[in-house]
Amino acid sequence: MKQLNSTTEIADLRRGTDLSKGYAAVFATVAIWSMPSLFMYYLNRYYDPWAQNLYRYTVACIAIAPLVLYRIRRVGPRIDMRAIGLCLLPCLPNAVHQITQVMALFYMGPGVYAIFIRSSVIFTALLALAFFPEERLIIRQWQFQTGTLLGLIGAFGVIWFQANAQSQDRHIALPGLFIAFAASFCWALYGVLVKRPSAQLGSIRSFGLISLITSVLLLPLTFAFGKIGTPLHVGAQVNLILIISAVTCITLAHVLYYVAIREIGVALAQSLQLLCPAGALGLSAWIYGERLTHAQVWSAAILLLGAFLAMRAKPVATTEAAENI
């Protein structure tokens, strides 16, 4: 009996250690993912959207490369042409999302964008219904129906009541509205399409390939529409901030997020990501002086409530696809 108690205590201690590791990872992820829009908003002063995303993803690809090589040496799926084909499809909406999210920050502050992008949870659920027949049962759940309606109303309100920075209009310019919704929709589409390669190749291998392919896709776009030589014309401090944003917000956060999923579960790890907009808004108010109108505050509350309800209705498989990289 004493030995059994000892074994039980060891198991409890190990479980407690795993939970502590999981919570540490998820709160570190929340802190990191409160900052991407602030970094991009700052970099918009120096980098065009095409060059900014090309170099951020290239740095992220280089940063994840040692982990990918380590995984390749271990037993697991090989990275071959089939693996590249699996990762190519989700890279297309990912590249569009990366460009449109930076463009959206010309029309709104980083805090507003961080709130609005939570609407991707709603779009992810809707797209999952179309792509995965086994998940269509969730449309009958009141949490999903109510959450979807509230989320879409809140998302529209957060953007619509954003003042137009280029005129005296009380509402955001229509191009900004379209770009913001395109960014959210493409992020959701990427989240659904990345489900298959992530499941078959693993998170590290799939992200390594996706970051590489996305960088390759962004290269000709930067030559055509951007300024490929931007890093040579901005200061070392600006380039350092770009590198820090890529390594922390893309590579490190991705790895930490999967540690959190493994230790505390997908549902809790994903739910806690709803804290990110609060962190982004607080930091943006402090650094950039961004403020929300009363209408935006109410819309943000409705959006986050809707996103939370929709997430509660989703099966694990859908939530798992919404990896925030």
Side-chain angles (χ1 to χ4, degrees):
M1 181 64 69
K2 185 175 181 180
Q3 183 178 1
L4 179 60
N5 289 339
S6 177
T7 304
T8 304
E9 289 172 3
I10 292 173
D12 290 342
L13 182 62
R14 184 176 300 169
R15 178 59 181 162
T17 303
D18 291 342
L19 285 174
S20 298
K21 185 194 300 182
Y23 279 110
V26 76
F27 282 113
T29 306
V30 168
I32 292 171
W33 276 338
S34 296
M35 296 185 289
S37 59
L38 282 83
F39 279 119
M40 291 184 291
Y41 188 80
Y42 171 81
L43 291 169
N44 269 350
R45 304 171 185 176
Y46 307 96
Y47 277 82
D48 62 83
W50 316 94
Q52 182 182 154
N53 283 292
L54 169 65
Y55 287 112
R56 286 178 72 246
Y57 252 80
T58 300
V59 171
C61 180
I62 294 171
I64 198 69
L67 283 175
V68 175
L69 293 174
Y70 173 74
R71 291 285 186 179
I72 289 175
R73 292 175 182 174
R74 301 179 64 185
V75 177
R78 293 177 55 191
I79 294 182
D80 50 20
M81 292 305 298
R82 179 177 174 276
I84 294 174
L86 277 175
C87 293
L88 178 60
L89 189 58
C91 285
L92 298 175
N94 184 40
V96 176
H97 163 73
Q98 299 303 326
I99 298 298
T100 51
Q101 71 171 343
V102 174
M103 288 182 173
L105 290 169
F106 287 109
Y107 297 90
M108 67 193 71
V112 170
Y113 179 78
I115 294 170
F116 174 78
I117 199 61
R118 295 296 111 188
S119 64
S120 63
V121 172
I122 307 296
F123 290 126
T124 300
L126 292 172
L127 286 167
L129 296 179
F131 281 90
F132 307 115
E134 68 274 12
E135 295 180 2
R136 290 173 187 166
L137 292 176
I138 69 169
I139 200 170
R140 301 175 184 174
Q141 300 180 34
W142 71 267
Q143 294 99 323
F144 175 77
Q145 296 171 0
T146 305
T148 299
L149 179 62
L150 291 176
L152 292 176
I153 292 173
F156 182 81
V158 167
I159 295 298
W160 181 246
F161 294 111
Q162 171 74 27
N164 188 348
Q166 289 140 0
S167 72
Q168 298 300 317
D169 196 349
R170 292 175 52 200
H171 302 296
I172 191 172
L174 288 180
L177 187 69
F178 173 77
I179 290 170
F181 271 96
S184 182
F185 178 80
C186 287
W187 181 242
L189 181 59
Y190 163 75
V192 172
L193 294 178
V194 82
K195 174 181 175 180
R196 187 181 173 195
S198 181
Q200 295 193 18
L201 300 175
S203 60
I204 300 298
R205 288 183 178 87
S206 61
F207 174 61
L209 275 177
I210 285 170
S211 61
L212 175 61
I213 296 171
T214 301
S215 299
V216 171
L217 290 174
L218 290 169
L219 182 60
L221 293 175
T222 304
F223 273 113
F225 305 108
K227 298 178 181 178
I228 195 73
T230 301
L232 301 176
H233 303 292
V234 299
Q237 178 181 336
V238 175
N239 287 328
L240 179 61
I241 289 175
L242 183 142
I243 293 170
I244 291 172
S245 72
V247 173
T248 56
C249 298
I250 300 178
T251 305
L252 179 60
H254 175 82
V255 175
L256 288 173
Y257 184 55
Y258 274 92
V259 171
I261 286 176
R262 185 178 66 246
E263 303 299 344
I264 66 175
V266 174
L268 183 56
Q270 184 75 357
S271 296
L272 288 171
Q273 301 308 313
L274 293 178
L275 297 173
C276 293
L281 189 59
L283 289 170
S284 183
W286 176 44
I287 299 172
Y288 300 118
E290 182 182 11
R291 297 290 186 272
L292 268 65
T293 64
H294 291 297
Q296 284 180 301
V297 171
W298 281 106
S299 298
I302 293 171
L303 167 58
L304 295 179
L305 175 61
F308 176 75
L309 287 174
M311 283 167 46
R312 298 297 293 176
K314 289 189 299 180
V316 170
T318 305
T319 312
E320 208 168 61
E323 53 184 88
N324 208 349
I325 58 176

